[in-house]
Amino acid sequence: MATPLSIQLYTLRDQIAADRDGTLSRLAGIGYTAVEAYDPTADPTGFRKVVDDLGISVNSTHAYALFDKEAAEVFDAIATVGTDLVIIPGGIAHEEFTTAEGLDRTAATLNGFAEKAAERGMRIGYHNHWWEIEPRFDGRTALEELADRLAPEVFLEVDTYWAAVGGADVPALLRTLGDRVLALHVKDGPGVKDQPHTAVGKGAIDVPSILAAAPHAQRIVELDTCAGDIFEAVADSLAYLTELERS
């Protein structure tokens, strides 16, 4: 990989809320050199100083805030944080992915965000869950249908775990989406809804096959929940993925 393994900071949202700087320092100590932010509008200047001091890059950010804040404010914060990849991780009703008309509206929303982002030299991406995978249109997932409607500059961050939970053959899905996929959320667990995740490599997901299907996509560890110690899980995930990429 040309870019370092990253981690979505939502994984450590409780720890960050209690001690942001200490949590980031601990991640650096584990060996993470890149992160994906989840709320760039939360003290962007202070956040940037801490990650710069730790030698951590911000390769991308989620930006749910685009739905409830002025776009200029959000993009200013993202510029301060220091990335140009802006990912929409939700905020669109699940039902919109069950009809062609809903997909048209969703694409229009994302393409509109992309136009605003382009004015700032940024790109918009979309992050899936299971509800963009379960609906099928002549055998194709709603995510594939959405991709056909997106402007060329809009990319996808495929959450590989939720794609599997939604019933996709994830390697085949990634091959179909091809260069549209710039990033992968890599997580592991039992592969069912509403159960805690595990360290990557310790669950039911065939991680090697998934990663092989998108060799150039950024790898981003994310654990939505975790039954055990979260720092141990993210450390084990980094060690597993580092060894896997070397093999």
Side-chain angles (χ1 to χ4, degrees):
M1 289 294 298
T3 53
L5 289 165
S6 182
I7 183 168
Q8 165 53 248
L9 293 179
Y10 182 78
T11 302
L12 298 145
R13 57 198 177 277
D14 295 336
Q15 292 74 18
I16 288 171
D19 180 8
R20 180 196 66 187
D21 297 2
T23 299
L24 291 168
S25 179
R26 192 164 176 184
L27 283 175
I30 288 170
Y32 283 96
T33 59
V35 297
E36 180 175 73
Y38 67 92
D39 182 9
T41 64
D43 185 24
T45 301
F47 177 83
R48 176 65 180 273
K49 183 179 187 308
V50 174
V51 295
D52 281 353
D53 288 347
L54 291 168
I56 293 174
S57 61
V58 182
N59 287 354
S60 52
T61 183
H62 281 189
Y64 189 90
L66 281 170
F67 287 103
D68 52 32
K69 296 180 186 291
E70 289 294 326
E73 175 188 351
V74 177
F75 289 129
D76 283 346
I78 292 168
T80 299
V81 165
T83 185
D84 60 357
L85 298 182
V86 184
I87 297 150
I88 307 300
I92 298 169
H94 299 188
E95 293 75 21
E96 292 290 78
F97 298 94
T98 62
T99 67
E101 294 77 14
L103 290 171
D104 288 341
R105 288 189 292 267
T106 299
T109 296
L110 295 173
N111 292 340
F113 283 144
E115 289 179 5
K116 294 178 181 179
E119 296 171 0
R120 305 295 297 269
M122 298 175 184
R123 292 183 65 186
I124 289 291
Y126 184 74
H127 170 281
N128 67 281
H129 298 80
W130 65 86
W131 54 84
E132 302 92 343
I133 306 298
E134 288 181 344
R136 300 299 169 104
F137 298 79
D138 293 326
R140 303 179 81 220
T141 66
L143 186 63
E144 292 167 88
E145 290 288 317
L146 175 64
D148 288 348
R149 293 163 165 80
L150 294 175
E153 64 270 20
V154 180
F155 66 92
L156 296 176
E157 175 179 76
V158 174
D159 188 305
T160 58
Y161 187 84
W162 291 128
V165 170
D169 176 333
V170 183
L173 176 65
L174 292 172
R175 287 190 289 268
T176 297
L177 294 171
D179 292 342
R180 179 76 77 167
V181 181
L182 260 61
L184 305 177
H185 268 198
V186 185
K187 59 182 72 167
D188 211 341
V192 294
K193 300 172 189 173
D194 303 322
Q195 291 195 23
H197 299 155
T198 67
V200 179
K202 295 189 176 182
I205 303 301
D206 184 358
V207 176
S209 294
I210 288 170
L211 298 188
H216 302 297
Q218 168 75 53
R219 282 83 159 101
I220 304 167
V221 171
E222 184 188 42
L223 306 177
D224 296 7
T225 59
C226 185
D229 181 83
I230 189 63
F231 285 106
E232 181 177 328
V234 299
D236 288 347
S237 297
L238 178 64
Y240 172 81
L241 288 171
T242 300
E243 183 59 31
L244 186 62
E245 296 288 358
R246 286 173 179 163
S247 61

